[in-house]
Amino acid sequence: MKRTLPSWLHKAVFYQIYPQSFYDSNNDGVGDIPGIIEKLDYLETLGVNALWINPCFVSPFQDAGYDVADYYQVAPRYGTNQDLEKLFAEAKQRGMRVLLDLVPGHTSVEHPWFQESQKHKVNPYTDYYIWNNSIWDMPLEDLQVIRGYGERDAGYITNFFWFQPALNYGFTQTDPAYSWMQTVDAPGPNMVREEIKKIMSYWLEKGASGFRVDMAASLVKRDLDKTETARFWRWIRDWLEETYPDVVMVSEWGSPAQAIPAGFHVDFLLGFNNPGWVSLFRKRGNGRWRDPYSWSFFDESGHGDIRQFLDEYLYYLEKISDQGYIALITGNHDETPRLANGRSQAMMKLIYLFLLTMPGTPFIYYGDEIGMRFRDLPSKEGGYTRTGARTPMQWSNEKNAGFSGAAAESLYLPVDPAKNCPTVTEQDADPDSLLNRIRELIRLRQALPALDADAKFEVLYAESGKLPFVYSMTKDKQKLIIALNPSGQRVSIDLPLNISDTVPKVIDAPENTEIKRMDSGWHLSLGPVSGAIYRIS
Ligand code: GLC
């Protein structure tokens, strides 16, 4: 089947909202949907045109809502289904789309399907989840089994925490030694697949523009090369192409080479699977961000290595060949610490210059546009080490940083107590602030075809252990050169003459950068922690 990419995706700049922490409109200490609606004007001034909201459905919130107990009902603490519909409509009026978070792989143990499934007596939900034959069965190496829950003499397979039982999509490789492993076309998996489609339809009819899909690769078990999981998602995409062609699916997969052919429009690069992405923004080589011997690329020391990122990125870019996009994120509710930790404002501005001039789909995590910081906090709702990246948005220097009128002790999480904690109000008023810089860069991205998601990306200079990093972006006969120097030292380089015959025009560059024609080529010189955009055609 022919795939099309909705045209709005070419210019999409996403903003991720963790609803508990964005804005509390009714002063109960927890953010809510009417609160998001109140802040749409702010989001419009930022220039983002798409939102992703973390799960906002009925849940016991043992994993911040990734343990859904009713897919069809907004959690009362966030408001009502009507509020969510109003959000879709109000966002639409401002030219913004809203993506919900779909958790297809598991539910809460409190979900009525699971409550039926755990019963001794066989019923229509018995095979909605994956149960082994007896609680006395020995554990397996590759599947987490929870024993001792409920009436049924069986253990269930869980996807993440113990209270997130895996829905039954079947097994690619079954095993005669375990008769309970069902094939993907068994009745249980067939019913589960239809349920997911039904949930999606319900919210798309109400006005959602798509979904960010939680643990999208996790569905079918013992599916080593993900063939059967991908078959499911392609089935979903085929249906969307026919029924909702403007809808967008974004996967939490961390492998665009698998996710895009599987039918997703966009896939994230993420900490758990993408050391190249980690090497850009987080000081952690080999998965350990606290490792003092590994340097992120965006570090004043200049010790970072852009090849670590590019080798991964270019591999994926080639594999997805115009069928979808890679999402570069500033962070999310799982990634730690936040981007701004340990970084200067100049470095943050440079990071956004990069993020907003790369192809694909950029995602800004709420608060990262003002440089909110991560703090070590006790776990809240299954956040554990992630909790400090989920604190209330800092709107102003009023009570609770303007997040809520509730007593400080009853807030979802404490606001940043630092005297100099960044706020929207303060940065709004400062023409030089990070916030205003991001607004400017988003405007530029919207205005220039060469900054579209599908523009052609070419590396002009990227050497291991050397700087700067220079690339070009081309679309519709427009060609831009982008040069970045994250180090605290001035760096210079000679680019070959053939990149341009005429003097490149400055689109966006500080005074301490210059590009000059020499006999040997174009001489490009960048001051400490700076970056520039030039137009060459
Ligand atoms: C995803 C979510 C994470 C959640 C997990 C289980 O990784 O982003 O927050 O805990 O899935 O649903």
Side-chain angles (χ1 to χ4, degrees):
M1 160 165 277
K2 192 181 156 320
R3 301 274 184 231
T4 49
L5 284 168
S7 58
W8 66 268
L9 212 40
H10 289 156
K11 284 287 180 202
V13 178
F14 272 86
Y15 188 88
Q16 179 191 345
I17 295 179
Y18 188 70
Q20 341 10 7
S21 294
F22 196 56
Y23 185 61
D24 173 17
S25 74
N26 61 355
N27 298 330
D28 63 356
V30 184
D32 44 52
I33 292 169
I36 301 176
I37 298 175
E38 273 190 53
K39 295 297 182 184
L40 283 176
D41 288 343
Y42 163 72
L43 294 171
E44 196 179 9
T45 69
L46 184 57
V48 296
N49 49 20
L51 310 177
W52 151 35
I53 303 176
N54 286 99
C56 55
F57 308 108
V58 168
S59 162
F61 292 105
Q62 286 172 283
D63 183 16
Y66 283 97
D67 45 337
V68 180
D70 185 348
Y71 289 96
Y72 295 96
Q73 206 62 47
V74 167
R77 74 183 198 184
Y78 296 136
T80 61
N81 283 17
Q82 287 68 39
D83 291 329
L84 188 52
E85 279 184 58
K86 185 165 173 218
L87 171 63
F88 297 146
E90 294 268 344
K92 192 172 174 195
Q93 272 182 18
R94 293 166 175 81
M96 280 181 223
R97 325 242 165 185
V98 181
L99 264 58
L100 296 177
D101 206 316
L102 178 70
V103 188
H106 47 267
T107 67
S108 159
V109 285
E110 291 186 17
H111 195 291
W113 297 341
F114 191 72
Q115 285 307 312
E116 286 301 306
S117 194
Q118 60 81 33
K119 287 185 179 158
H120 175 75
K121 195 167 177 303
V122 171
N123 63 60
Y125 298 95
T126 298
D127 287 337
Y128 264 47
Y129 297 85
I130 308 169
W131 297 88
N132 67 14
N133 284 343
S134 160
I135 59 150
W136 310 116
D137 279 1
M138 283 296 116
L140 294 166
E141 252 174 42
D142 59 334
L143 298 163
Q144 255 182 292
V145 181
I146 302 297
R147 306 188 300 159
Y149 183 96
E151 289 177 14
R152 194 162 162 172
D153 171 24
Y156 65 82
I157 306 295
T158 173
N159 254 7
F160 198 70
F161 290 133
W162 71 267
F163 47 78
Q164 289 162 316
L167 283 159
N168 182 13
Y169 290 83
F171 285 71
T172 302
Q173 287 168 340
T174 50
D175 185 334
Y178 304 105
S179 57
W180 49 270
M181 293 182 178
Q182 302 180 354
T183 54
V184 291
D185 52 5
N190 281 338
M191 287 189 285
V192 166
R193 284 196 296 267
E194 291 297 339
E195 293 281 9
I196 297 302
K197 211 184 216 185
K198 215 170 109 192
I199 294 163
M200 291 176 67
S201 260
Y202 180 83
W203 290 111
L204 295 175
E205 287 299 321
K206 301 266 179 239
S209 291
F211 300 90
R212 173 269 186 188
V213 177
D214 188 65
M215 292 179 66
S218 73
L219 307 187
V220 179
K221 303 302 182 212
R222 294 207 169 161
D223 187 28
L224 290 187
D225 56 7
K226 303 291 168 200
T227 327
E228 290 300 327
T229 302
R231 193 194 307 279
F232 167 73
W233 288 118
R234 275 199 302 274
W235 175 70
I236 291 285
R237 177 69 178 268
D238 290 347
W239 161 68
L240 289 175
E241 294 265 335
E242 271 175 23
T243 323
Y244 304 100
D246 230 22
V247 155
V248 162
M249 299 289 284
V250 182
S251 48
E252 186 201 28
W253 195 307
S255 180
Q258 286 183 323
I260 304 300
F264 284 94
H265 301 82
V266 180
D267 186 36
F268 295 116
L269 299 188
L270 295 161
F272 67 81
N273 209 32
N274 305 114
W277 175 78
V278 170
S279 77
L280 282 177
F281 302 138
R282 264 95 185 146
K283 272 186 189 153
R284 51 173 182 185
N286 312 318
R288 288 172 301 150
W289 66 270
R290 287 175 202 276
D291 182 348
Y293 301 107
S294 70
W295 300 93
S296 63
F297 176 69
F298 287 98
D299 188 278
E300 263 126 42
S301 68
H303 291 329
D305 181 353
I306 194 62
R307 294 293 343 168
Q308 289 180 2
F309 165 71
L310 280 179
D311 292 349
E312 174 179 280
Y313 187 79
L314 291 170
Y315 164 79
Y316 286 136
L317 208 56
E318 200 218 309
K319 288 274 173 195
I320 63 180
S321 62
D322 300 334
Q323 294 294 296
Y325 301 129
I326 297 171
L328 291 179
I329 63 172
T330 63
N332 69 25
H333 61 292
D334 296 327
E335 300 293 347
T336 58
R338 273 191 185 256
L339 195 58
N341 282 71
R343 289 208 166 84
S344 66
Q345 163 129 318
M347 187 66 82
M348 289 293 285
K349 288 179 174 173
L350 185 65
I351 288 177
Y352 280 96
L353 175 65
F354 163 75
L355 196 90
L356 293 165
T357 57
M358 285 290 285
T361 316
F363 275 67
I364 300 173
Y365 182 46
Y366 85 96
D368 280 349
E369 76 276 29
I370 52 170
M372 266 175 64
R373 288 181 284 260
F374 171 91
R375 318 191 307 283
D376 260 327
L377 288 175
S379 184
K380 174 84 175 185
E381 296 187 346
Y384 297 96
T385 52
R386 308 172 292 184
T387 305
R390 302 175 172 189
T391 55
M393 177 70 177
Q394 293 150 205
W395 294 104
S396 69
N397 58 9
E398 283 159 33
K399 184 178 172 186
N400 300 324
F403 161 68
S404 165
E409 319 75 72
S410 51
L411 296 187
Y412 177 75
L413 279 170
V415 295
D416 187 345
K419 276 248 156 23
N420 66 348
C421 88
T423 65
V424 170
T425 323
E426 157 233 344
Q427 295 204 14
D428 238 345
D430 173 4
D432 249 6
S433 66
L434 177 64
L435 176 63
N436 280 321
R437 175 66 177 150
I438 296 171
R439 286 174 169 149
E440 208 180 305
L441 287 167
I442 294 180
R443 271 198 297 272
L444 205 60
R445 187 172 177 99
Q446 303 301 3
L448 301 173
L451 296 180
D452 278 7
D454 63 346
K456 188 168 164 27
F457 170 76
E458 276 171 304
V459 174
L460 298 182
Y461 185 83
E463 296 285 317
S464 218
K466 290 189 188 161
L467 289 168
F469 167 37
V470 189
Y471 53 97
S472 66
M473 291 283 285
T474 315
K475 187 175 167 180
D476 296 349
K477 299 202 180 116
Q478 183 178 80
K479 183 164 186 163
L480 306 176
I481 295 185
I482 295 111
L484 308 171
N485 171 26
S487 82
Q489 314 292 320
R490 172 168 290 277
V491 296
S492 304
I493 186 206
D494 287 330
L495 293 169
L497 279 173
N498 65 8
I499 62 158
S500 173
D501 292 334
T502 51
V503 181
K505 182 172 166 256
V506 179
I507 296 281
D508 182 282
E511 275 161 14
N512 60 7
T513 74
E514 61 174 352
I515 189 158
K516 265 195 319 206
R517 191 174 179 142
M518 317 282 272
D519 289 343
S520 54
W522 287 101
H523 185 73
L524 175 64
S525 174
L526 294 143
V529 195
S530 70
I533 309 176
Y534 298 104
R535 181 167 171 174
I536 57 175
S537 66

